[in-house]
Amino acid sequence: MRTTFQVQNLKCGGCAKTISNKLSGIKEIKEVIVEKDSSSVSFDHQSADEASLVKEALKRMGYPTIDDENGLWTRQNRL
């Protein structure tokens, strides 16, 4: 099955490459495509658990999905 997440903080090609490299390292995840212009991450997987794993990995890397709190934004606003 194919899933696409809209993510926050995806600003450059370096960010896209980081996401692609990290997610491609997850055994169950295949065909990762990161689109900087649309801030989207698409990938193939077999189960909903694997999609949740990717969502959590994105959040830990600093690229939460648009429905998650943006920790980076929160920290910047407190300064």
Side-chain angles (χ1 to χ4, degrees):
M1 115 183 35
R2 185 129 188 104
T3 296
T4 300
F5 289 134
Q6 296 296 121
V7 298
Q8 303 174 60
N9 308 326
L10 178 53
K11 306 290 185 202
C12 66
C15 297
K17 185 171 181 144
T18 296
I19 292 169
S20 182
N21 288 342
K22 295 281 187 178
L23 296 184
S24 294
I26 301 173
K27 187 172 90 170
E28 300 84 3
I29 305 305
K30 308 287 184 223
E31 301 295 324
V32 177
I33 297 174
V34 182
E35 295 288 339
K36 179 183 64 106
D37 294 335
S38 63
S39 295
S40 66
V41 178
S42 301
F43 55 95
D44 290 337
H45 59 95
Q46 296 297 317
S47 72
D49 288 341
E50 292 162 352
S52 293
L53 181 69
V54 168
K55 185 174 181 177
E56 285 304 312
L58 287 165
K59 188 174 186 177
R60 283 192 310 274
M61 286 188 282
Y63 306 100
T65 58
I66 59 171
D67 60 335
D68 278 338
E69 180 180 324
N70 187 342
L72 179 62
W73 174 255
T74 302
R75 283 191 298 267
Q76 288 176 345
N77 284 336
R78 287 187 207 152
L79 297 176

